[in-house]
Amino acid sequence: MAEKSDIEEVLDALNITPPPATSAGLHAVTNALRHVYGKMGVVRGTRGMLKLNQKGGIDCQSCAWPDPEHRTLNEFCENGAKALSDEATRAHIGREFFASHSVAELKQRSDFWLNKQGRLTEPLILREGSTHYEPVTWEDAISLIAGKLKSLASPDEAVFYTSGRTSNEAAFLYQLFVRRFGTNNLPDCSNMCHESTSVALAESIGLGKATIRLEDFEETDLVIVIGQNPGTNAPRMLSSLAAAKKAGAKMIAINPLPEVGLTSFVDPNPQHGNPFSVLGFRPAKLADLHLPVRIGGDMAVLKGLMKALLEREREEPGSVFDREFIESKTLGYDEFIASLDAVSWAEITAGSGLIREQIEKAARMIMRARSFVTCWAMGVTQHTAAVATIQDIVNLHLLRGSIGRPGAGLCPVRGHSNVQGDRTMGIWERMNPVFRENLEREFAFKTPERDGLNTVESIAAMRDGRAKVFFAMGGNFVAASPDTEAVSGALENCDLTVQVITKLNRTALTPGRTSLLLPCLGRSEIDMQASGEQFVSTESTMLNVQMSKGIFEPASEHLRSETWIVCRLAEATLGNDIGIDWRDFSENYDLIRDAIERVVPGFDNYNERIRVPGGFYLPNPPRDGTFPNAAGRALFTAHPLEYIEAPPGRLLMTTIRSHDQFNTTIYGLDDRYRGIDGGRRVVFMNERDIAEHGLEDGQKVDITSYWDDGERHVKGFTIVKYVIPAGCTAAYFPEANPLVPLGSHARRSFTPTSKCIVVSIEKSEEN
Ligand code: SF4
């Protein structure tokens, strides 16, 4: 009997139970240990956990949540443990594996199965017309890439992508090499996640990053969490939320889904106060109010909150708005208030899917809060009007003067461990003028004038043959990007695709005419160079820069560090007579940090300060009450209300992550926080919608999305009856990514609109 494909196995194994009442707790501990001991063994696993997120230890490869000044013994969460064990797994694959598995056969396997195969152990090449990857030497691989780059008609025919795992040191040299080569084509994963935040905040307050630190959670009166599911995507944030609650703060959760990580938390860390808390006797109640907003309704909620504040302010001037702050620190107030007056409550309730009383209740909580913090993530950034929505978050804070003082401020929560650091190091298709000037002075060359291609533009350029080489520093481009069919075709249309990765993934199986896989060191591995053992550094979502040092012997003697790979490629492509000593940089990372100190503002005495346990914070002017944007003041911005209405018979879909997933890395097939066991092709639907569409809970369905350029389809999903607003549905990415076209992205930031897709759900043709 034919071996069942992974998909068939999964569909048969799917088991649905009610979501749990609390998050984390003992189950998080047992799950973390299962992954760590199962993949690393007890001794290596224990060593790894004792070093994870410790000062001078291994900075977690997963999300960008910061580490507290006082580190506990287990300074990691369940998903941090999964990320560590996923990288430090004992499972390895090399030439034998690839000799026995063709690319075509591997393509049939699920992302979970591919990831489970383990670490790549040597460089591999898929030659044009070949069916199997085969080993190649580093020398041959590097010279092949260099030869191809030098043969291009223009440097702009190459695209250099970066995922958020890349260290500061490697990222800085990578952008230097790419710009010295002659292009700004530096798309990165931030383009697909918080680019809307960067654009919005840079304009409104002059800094596209968080303005708070961890300690602000214990000083605030209120935390608003909007468009974010921290229980899965930044789990240690729950400890900060619990600490805020313990200190007397209130919490509002604005999310279509009643995520358990927003409502109840059992802190598994015995050093966070109660050694028996893990047993779940007294779970911490998180959200005091959950607003189940409809998909795409965040802007309407924010305008409703501000309208309620305005109405109260007009009843008693000066009782709600921080007049002194508004007059001394902001611009645009009058125009903004006029735009608020222009929005009616009827529009607000229609757009938000909430009743006025719910919004007014939240507004009263904001009025009672002298200081408040707002946290957000993809649920806000991946919409057409995301930039405007984020600026409404800023508007809300400016009305109350809740920024630039203890317990008050903005907290966009970045999803990848060094995605923010990479941007700070210059990984951006557009150059910051100060960075450009410093880089040109430091390395005595003229940087490319023309802005480069962002992620969406890069895919179009590869599709159209305008870009012929795709080089990726980490990541899983084809799975992370929208419009899977278009991005697959774009990659396959390239002459050469190159990935610097640690494990086999979907992108490796979507090769250009020639494809190279270059296996690099993981963050948990010892990085030995000519001048001795090296360490790297990263930047957390709260601007804390700290070192990360590996402790394990590399998975294979053939692995190379990201920095080594960039330097060898730069030497081979640009030569050594251009005044940049790539070899020195690759042998001693202190030299890289010296150069960063001279080019990137805020990195004074970098080598000295990075060696201080816990590292240092970058300057954060809005945190200190100054706003380094063009106006030199915080800006109120007036935007008309926007929300999407699905035509009759159709629904709004948002894409989400499961609890067994980090970005596109699938650790397992369970989503314990939503009661899903053993499967990923599920679609969460409202009970009434299921009935109104003549469907049944548990039924197999196909999903269709509708765009100007036609329809898109995904098949074989199972309906899961779920608590979600009527008219709204949800499904996991990357499985649902084929439904989002390349052309559907946020205005101004080009972030794909993966959080709001108009779909129809039909009985599966297979039934
Ligand atoms: S919260 Fe994020 S950074 Fe911290 S251990 Fe968990 S996954 Fe890693």
Side-chain angles (χ1 to χ4, degrees):
M1 183 168 79
E3 182 187 324
K4 283 190 183 164
S5 84
D6 307 330
I7 308 287
E8 286 157 345
E9 277 164 17
V10 167
L11 283 180
D12 295 346
L14 191 58
N15 179 34
I16 314 294
T17 55
T22 64
S23 60
L26 207 51
H27 209 145
V29 176
T30 53
N31 224 24
L33 294 178
R34 182 171 61 81
H35 278 266
V36 170
Y37 291 157
K39 292 176 181 171
M40 299 172 67
V42 174
V43 177
R44 280 179 81 249
T46 305
R47 282 187 60 212
M49 288 190 288
L50 289 173
K51 275 290 182 183
L52 193 56
N53 291 333
Q54 295 301 326
K55 294 179 179 177
I58 306 166
D59 180 48
C60 176
Q61 306 86 336
S62 192
C63 87
W65 191 254
D67 306 311
E69 179 49 35
H70 168 65
R71 312 283 161 100
T72 61
L73 199 58
N74 320 303
E75 196 50 64
F76 56 87
C77 73
E78 175 190 346
N79 284 1
K82 289 174 190 167
L84 171 71
S85 61
D86 199 62
E87 182 189 278
T89 175
R90 292 171 295 187
H92 299 165
I93 45 177
R95 57 188 65 192
E96 299 77 20
F97 174 87
F98 288 96
S100 59
H101 294 280
S102 70
V103 169
E105 183 226 325
L106 290 169
K107 264 191 161 169
Q108 301 311 309
R109 312 310 305 236
S110 71
D111 295 319
F112 170 54
W113 186 91
L114 293 173
N115 184 59
K116 220 171 38 174
Q117 302 316 302
R119 296 285 301 274
L120 298 176
T121 55
E122 58 188 323
L124 296 155
I125 185 167
L126 181 72
R127 299 183 192 285
E128 186 160 6
S130 170
T131 56
H132 289 67
Y133 274 101
E134 56 189 276
V136 63
T137 65
W138 278 103
E139 290 65 38
D140 290 351
I142 297 279
S143 70
L144 187 156
I145 304 166
K148 181 63 194 175
L149 290 176
K150 288 192 273 189
S151 74
L152 295 173
S154 155
D156 286 333
E157 291 185 346
V159 166
F160 298 90
Y161 176 75
T162 310
S163 97
R165 190 208 54 212
T166 305
S167 68
N168 280 358
E169 291 75 9
F172 182 76
L173 288 189
Y174 187 44
Q175 64 80 31
L176 174 61
F177 159 57
V178 171
R179 292 194 164 114
R180 195 63 184 80
F181 172 64
T183 181
N184 282 318
N185 286 352
L186 284 158
D188 68 341
C189 60
S190 190
N191 291 155
M192 291 186 274
C193 66
H194 268 290
E195 196 68 61
S196 301
T197 296
S198 303
V199 171
L201 297 189
E203 187 174 70
S204 296
I205 61 169
L207 181 77
K209 304 176 178 181
T211 69
I212 67 158
R213 293 182 185 172
L214 281 179
E215 54 265 32
D216 286 301
F217 281 95
E218 299 190 36
E219 306 213 35
T220 193
D221 305 315
L222 172 70
V223 183
I224 301 172
V225 181
I226 179 169
Q228 189 202 0
N229 177 22
T232 287
N233 305 330
R236 280 187 301 159
M237 178 173 159
L238 301 194
S239 301
S240 298
L241 294 174
K245 295 293 309 265
K246 199 168 173 199
K250 295 293 182 192
M251 177 176 157
I252 299 171
I254 303 173
N255 195 307
L257 296 167
E259 306 284 17
V260 67
L262 290 170
T263 52
S264 176
F265 170 56
V266 172
D267 195 332
N269 191 329
Q271 290 180 282
H272 285 163
N274 171 351
F276 302 104
S277 65
V278 71
L279 303 175
F281 296 133
R282 277 202 307 276
K285 176 178 164 39
L286 297 179
D288 299 281
L289 177 64
H290 171 220
L291 297 179
V293 63
R294 63 189 285 285
I295 290 171
D298 301 290
M299 186 195 282
V301 174
L302 291 162
K303 290 192 185 303
L305 293 170
M306 293 186 280
K307 203 172 173 64
L309 297 184
L310 177 59
E311 286 163 1
R312 182 76 191 95
E313 170 69 12
R314 284 183 170 148
E315 287 164 12
E316 200 184 330
S319 67
V320 177
F321 290 178
D322 186 333
R323 291 280 167 190
E324 194 213 331
F325 178 88
I326 291 170
E327 270 131 38
S328 63
K329 299 274 189 183
T330 74
L331 286 175
Y333 174 80
D334 295 335
E335 190 200 349
F336 167 66
I337 292 300
S339 74
L340 212 47
D341 283 333
V343 180
S344 70
W345 273 108
E347 292 170 304
I348 286 168
T349 52
S352 65
L354 303 169
I355 59 171
R356 182 169 175 171
E357 290 68 26
Q358 287 173 298
I359 297 174
E360 288 179 333
K361 184 173 179 184
R364 287 192 294 277
M365 291 170 74
I366 295 171
M367 290 181 212
R368 286 195 292 273
R370 174 80 189 90
S371 300
F372 64 97
V373 165
T374 301
C375 306
W376 71 89
M378 298 323 99
V380 168
T381 65
Q382 295 183 330
H383 292 267
T384 307
V387 172
T389 301
I390 294 162
Q391 290 186 327
D392 268 335
I393 293 174
V394 176
N395 289 334
L396 176 63
H397 278 257
L398 298 185
L399 288 175
R400 301 277 292 145
S402 192
I403 187 169
R405 52 189 168 78
L410 306 168
C411 186
V413 180
R414 306 253 169 189
H416 211 320
S417 58
N418 201 36
V419 63
Q420 192 162 294
D422 294 341
R423 187 54 64 90
T424 305
M425 289 300 118
I427 299 290
W428 195 15
E429 71 275 2
R430 284 180 274 145
M431 287 193 80
N432 164 303
V434 174
F435 185 93
R436 180 195 292 272
E437 191 190 322
N438 293 350
L439 193 70
E440 290 184 348
R441 187 195 59 247
E442 174 68 16
F443 295 104
F445 77 101
K446 192 86 191 75
T447 54
E449 278 302 325
R450 193 167 55 183
D451 283 348
L453 303 172
N454 60 36
T455 296
V456 166
E457 293 164 338
S458 297
I459 296 168
M462 292 188 278
R463 176 198 60 204
D464 306 340
R466 292 178 281 116
K468 300 177 170 39
V469 174
F470 173 78
F471 188 103
M473 187 60 82
N476 185 3
F477 192 74
V478 77
S481 301
D483 213 337
T484 313
E485 200 178 313
V487 67
S488 302
L491 288 173
E492 287 158 358
N493 194 33
C494 287
D495 295 344
L496 175 65
T497 52
V498 182
Q499 283 189 277
V500 176
I501 46 176
T502 55
K503 304 183 78 176
L504 181 60
N505 62 26
R506 185 73 43 200
T507 307
L509 305 175
T510 317
R513 280 176 268 285
T514 299
S515 173
L516 283 162
L517 307 182
L518 305 180
C520 65
L521 289 176
R523 210 178 274 169
S524 62
E525 291 169 323
I526 296 167
D527 183 351
M528 192 60 75
Q529 300 299 335
S531 71
E533 192 178 339
Q534 305 296 313
F535 65 82
V536 294
S537 52
T538 60
E539 177 188 337
S540 76
T541 207
M542 292 180 193
L543 292 78
N544 170 231
V545 179
Q546 63 172 339
M547 82 161 52
S548 180
K549 203 169 182 184
I551 62 168
F552 297 124
E553 287 305 317
S556 149
E557 60 178 333
H558 301 301
L559 305 187
R560 297 288 182 269
S561 74
E562 295 169 322
T563 305
W564 183 96
I565 295 169
V566 170
C567 290
R568 292 298 179 278
L569 181 57
E571 266 182 355
T573 310
L574 305 171
N576 260 321
D577 53 359
I578 57 166
I580 302 175
D581 197 325
W582 303 103
R583 188 62 56 125
D584 278 1
F585 277 146
S586 69
E587 292 174 355
N588 180 358
Y589 298 179
D590 277 355
L591 301 174
I592 306 170
R593 288 184 282 270
D594 287 341
I596 292 172
E597 177 177 337
R598 293 189 290 267
V599 170
V600 186
F603 283 82
D604 320 330
N605 306 321
Y606 192 359
N607 274 311
E608 192 189 315
R609 292 196 294 161
I610 198 65
R611 285 176 168 81
V612 174
F616 60 94
Y617 279 93
L618 291 173
N620 192 329
R623 180 178 169 70
D624 310 322
T626 60
F627 304 101
N629 55 10
R633 282 185 170 220
L635 289 184
F636 281 103
T637 47
H639 298 285
L641 172 60
E642 281 184 66
Y643 58 93
I644 293 176
E645 292 199 275
R650 298 188 179 157
L651 303 153
L652 295 177
M653 173 173 277
T654 191
T655 61
I656 55 177
R657 271 198 220 169
S658 85
H659 195 60
D660 258 359
Q661 161 185 9
F662 171 66
N663 284 348
T664 59
T665 303
I666 312 299
Y667 300 128
L669 300 172
D670 305 340
D671 186 4
R672 163 169 110 254
Y673 286 172
R674 299 193 182 103
I676 307 295
D677 185 52
R680 295 184 50 83
R681 296 185 82 79
V682 296
V683 55
F684 299 91
M685 286 185 76
N686 172 286
E687 184 168 13
R688 206 176 68 218
D689 290 335
I690 295 172
E692 280 174 10
H693 287 74
L695 300 166
E696 289 165 21
D697 185 20
Q699 186 170 18
K700 292 213 174 54
V701 291
D702 300 336
I703 306 169
T704 302
S705 65
Y706 302 85
W707 307 92
D708 309 347
D709 64 354
E711 299 177 359
R712 286 168 172 74
H713 307 276
V714 288
K715 298 183 178 303
F717 283 66
T718 300
I719 292 178
V720 174
K721 183 178 68 183
Y722 207 75
V723 178
I724 189 169
C728 299
T729 67
Y732 299 130
F733 82 87
E735 287 82 355
N737 281 2
L739 295 170
V740 184
L742 209 50
S744 181
H745 48 72
R747 280 194 304 276
R748 302 183 59 200
S749 66
F750 285 78
T751 303
T753 59
S754 308
K755 291 292 182 183
C756 191
I757 315 162
V758 174
V759 300
S760 64
I761 297 180
E762 305 86 22
K763 194 162 167 266
S764 189
E765 287 161 5
E766 291 159 20
N767 282 358

